[in-house]
Amino acid sequence: LVLMEDGETAASRFVSSGEPVDEETLFQVVSLSKWLAAWGVMKLVQEGQIGLDDPVEAYLDRWSLPPGEYDRSGVTVRRLLSHTAGLGDGLGYNGFTSRAEVQTLEASLSRAADASPGSAGSVRLVRAPGSEWAYSGGGYTLLQLLIEEVSGRPFDAFMKAEIFQPLNMQQSTFDLDEARRRGLAENYRRDGTTEPFRYYTALAATSAFTSAGDLTAFLKAQYPGERARGAAPLAPETLREMRRSHAARLGADIWGLGVMLYAPNNQGDFVIGHDGNNEPSINTAVRFDPGTGDGIILLGTGNGLLATHIASEWVLWKTGHVDNLMFAEGIGGMILTAGTGTAILIFCGLFFAWKTRRRRQP
C-alpha cells in the first residue's frame, strides 16, 4: 500500500504472511496491465507511427479479424483502447502451466486455449464498432500484436525500452521467469494456500509484473508539476487525450484510452487508474488525481476485492464522489435486491389472493 500526496510518497505499508515484501517486490497486476500497455500504444501514436482513428488492420500482416456482418474498418486503435470496438470475445484468460504451452498471438486471437470458463475465446465483431462500451481482453491482445507489428520488436522488449526504462521502472517486466528472478510476491488464495503463477500469451491484457515503487514512478510521470516532466515518454497533451472521456455508462463518464475514469476530480478532470482482479488470488488497484498529485496504490493477493474496495473509499474521501467501479458493482447488488424483493411481493400477493379466494368459496 502506497499513498501519494502532491506527486510524492506520503506513506507506505508492506505486509506479508510469507516472504517479506517491500516497494521493489514484484506483483502480477493482471488487468492493470492494460493501462501500462496503453502507454506503449500511445507512444507509437505520439511518434506518428500509427493513427488513433485508423483501422487497426491497416497495420497488421500476421492476423485479421474474421469477416462478418459489421464493418471491420471501424475497429480503430482508439476504439480498442476504450473498449468500444464492438468485440465480443469475453476474455478472461486463465494462462498456461508451462511456457511450452503458450500459444502464438495469432492462435490466441483466433481461439484462446486458455479462455476463462464461459468466454467465447475468439476475437470477433459482434456489434457495430463505436456503438457501445464492452470490456474486451481480446482487444488488448490485438493491441499487443499491433505494437509488435509496427515496432518490429517483441512486446516485452518494446515496453521495457520505450516505457519502463524512461520512467525508471527498473523492476517491471511482462516475463514471468524474469519476475521470479527479480523477486516475486507469493500468490495467496483466500484460504492462505498459494496459487501457482501461470504463463500467458495475452501479456498486454493481463501479465505485467510491477512493484509499488515502479507504479509510484508511473504516477509521478502523470502529474503536471515541474518535478514530473523530465524524460517521461508521453507528452502532457497525450496524457490529456487518454483522460478524455471516450465511453459512458448510466450517464457517467467511465473510460478514456486505456484508463478508467473513476470520478470527477472537481477540477474539470478525473481521478484515473485501473484495477486488476483474478480470482481466487490477485487484486490490484490504483487511483490517481492528476490535478493534485494524490494517489493510492494497492497490490495484494489472498483478500478478494480488498484492494478495489479500499481504493474506492479513497476516491470518495478525496472527491466526495462515489467511485464508478463501486457504483457499477452496487447497481448489480441493487438489481438483485430489487428483483428478490419484487419476487417476494408477487409471491405474497398471489398467496393472499389465493387464501382470500378460498375463504369466499361456498
Side-chain angles (χ1 to χ4, degrees), residues 40 43-44 147 151 153-163:
K43 181 70 162 32
L44 294 174
I147 287 175
S151 71
R153 287 179 274 177
F155 174 73
D156 184 42
F158 173 87
M159 290 295 297
K160 285 175 181 171
E162 302 297 331
I163 304 300

Side-chain angles (χ1 to χ4, degrees), residues 146-282:
L146 170 70
I147 287 175
E148 291 197 353
E149 294 240 42
V150 172
S151 71
R153 287 179 274 177
F155 174 73
D156 184 42
F158 173 87
M159 290 295 297
K160 285 175 181 171
E162 302 297 331
I163 304 300
F164 296 156
Q165 290 176 12
L167 291 175
N168 199 31
M169 296 173 68
Q170 298 295 332
Q171 298 296 106
S172 299
T173 180
F174 286 88
D175 185 300
L176 171 57
D177 292 333
E178 183 178 351
R180 283 176 168 143
R181 291 192 298 270
R182 293 186 175 185
L184 181 58
E186 292 172 283
N187 191 21
Y188 287 103
R189 301 186 183 100
R190 294 192 193 208
D191 63 4
T193 60
T194 55
E195 172 78 8
F197 286 98
R198 299 171 74 83
Y199 294 88
Y200 291 85
T201 298
L203 304 178
T206 197
S207 196
F209 299 89
T210 190
S211 66
D214 278 9
L215 285 173
T216 301
F218 180 63
L219 295 187
K220 283 183 178 182
Q222 302 182 60
Y223 183 41
E226 288 297 324
R227 288 170 305 208
R229 296 190 186 277
L234 296 186
E237 56 268 25
T238 302
L239 295 173
R240 281 195 296 271
E241 180 64 16
M242 293 179 75
R243 299 195 305 267
R244 187 170 67 83
S245 177
H246 286 73
R249 300 282 307 265
L250 299 173
D253 297 313
I254 61 165
W255 222 275
L257 299 179
V259 62
M260 187 168 182
L261 312 177
Y262 285 98
N265 73 344
N266 303 317
Q267 298 182 35
D269 211 323
F270 296 95
V271 173
I272 61 172
H274 213 294
D275 285 53
N277 180 44
N278 187 11
E279 284 287 355
S281 51
I282 301 168

Side-chain angles (χ1 to χ4, degrees), residues 13-266:
R13 175 76 169 165
F14 304 97
V15 178
S16 175
S17 59
E19 292 295 318
V21 297
D22 59 27
E23 65 178 6
E24 294 187 352
T25 304
L26 289 170
F27 285 77
Q28 187 179 10
V29 295
V30 288
S31 287
L32 200 155
S33 307
K34 296 178 178 70
W35 190 10
L36 302 175
W39 272 53
V41 174
M42 294 304 291
K43 181 70 162 32
L44 294 174
V45 171
Q46 186 173 271
E47 293 174 347
Q49 296 192 58
I50 60 176
L52 268 176
D53 296 306
D54 290 343
V56 68
E57 291 202 331
Y59 302 100
L60 303 180
D61 293 320
R62 290 161 47 187
W63 189 82
S64 294
L65 283 160
E69 62 178 300
Y70 300 105
D71 184 4
R72 291 177 292 176
S73 68
V75 181
T76 63
V77 177
R78 185 188 302 275
R79 286 171 174 164
L80 287 169
L81 285 167
S82 59
H83 300 284
T84 58
L87 302 182
D89 52 87
L91 295 166
Y93 297 95
N94 277 339
F96 303 93
T97 56
S98 70
R99 187 179 289 275
E101 295 176 85
V102 174
Q103 291 177 285
T104 64
L105 277 170
E106 298 90 326
S108 182
L109 287 163
S110 295
R111 179 63 175 90
D114 62 334
S116 55
S119 297
S122 56
V123 177
R124 66 195 192 283
L125 271 172
V126 300
R127 62 185 68 86
S131 61
E132 63 180 278
W133 179 88
Y135 193 79
S136 171
Y140 273 72
T141 305
L142 188 52
L143 289 170
Q144 180 181 334
L145 177 63
L146 170 70
I147 287 175
E148 291 197 353
E149 294 240 42
V150 172
S151 71
R153 287 179 274 177
F155 174 73
D156 184 42
F158 173 87
M159 290 295 297
K160 285 175 181 171
E162 302 297 331
I163 304 300
F164 296 156
Q165 290 176 12
L167 291 175
N168 199 31
M169 296 173 68
Q170 298 295 332
Q171 298 296 106
S172 299
T173 180
F174 286 88
D175 185 300
L176 171 57
D177 292 333
E178 183 178 351
R180 283 176 168 143
R181 291 192 298 270
R182 293 186 175 185
L184 181 58
E186 292 172 283
N187 191 21
Y188 287 103
R189 301 186 183 100
R190 294 192 193 208
D191 63 4
T193 60
T194 55
E195 172 78 8
F197 286 98
R198 299 171 74 83
Y199 294 88
Y200 291 85
T201 298
L203 304 178
T206 197
S207 196
F209 299 89
T210 190
S211 66
D214 278 9
L215 285 173
T216 301
F218 180 63
L219 295 187
K220 283 183 178 182
Q222 302 182 60
Y223 183 41
E226 288 297 324
R227 288 170 305 208
R229 296 190 186 277
L234 296 186
E237 56 268 25
T238 302
L239 295 173
R240 281 195 296 271
E241 180 64 16
M242 293 179 75
R243 299 195 305 267
R244 187 170 67 83
S245 177
H246 286 73
R249 300 282 307 265
L250 299 173
D253 297 313
I254 61 165
W255 222 275
L257 299 179
V259 62
M260 187 168 182
L261 312 177
Y262 285 98
N265 73 344
N266 303 317

